[in-house]
Amino acid sequence: MSTQVRTCSKCFQLMWLRAEEYEILDAETVRAKCPHCGTLARFKLVTTGSNALGPKMGH
């Protein structure tokens, strides 16, 4: 996987996470530590639907 950009659920700062900064728990879930506040957060990956490959950026 590439860089993940997520919002921390505690401090609401953007987290730019490289592949070595997050842990893959299963096919749909990753876990990462916020570099700002240190909160451990889980994120679901979007694998189906219109947002599966990322935002379309108006194209």
Side-chain angles (χ1 to χ4, degrees), residues 41-55:
R42 290 183 184 200
F43 303 104
K44 289 283 187 185
L45 298 175
V46 178
T47 57
T48 60
S50 61
N51 289 331
L53 297 175

Side-chain angles (χ1 to χ4, degrees), residues 1-57:
M1 270 196 268
S2 62
T3 300
Q4 295 284 320
V5 180
R6 302 291 175 148
T7 304
C8 176
S9 58
K10 184 175 180 183
C11 69
F12 303 106
Q13 297 283 330
L14 285 179
M15 301 184 291
W16 292 78
L17 303 167
R18 293 184 301 267
E20 62 271 5
E21 295 176 323
Y22 56 84
E23 177 184 357
I24 299 173
L25 300 177
D26 59 34
E28 298 178 350
T29 311
V30 296
R31 180 171 56 190
K33 185 176 180 180
C34 176
H36 306 286
C37 68
T39 299
L40 199 58
R42 290 183 184 200
F43 303 104
K44 289 283 187 185
L45 298 175
V46 178
T47 57
T48 60
S50 61
N51 289 331
L53 297 175
K56 302 299 183 257
M57 305 300 281

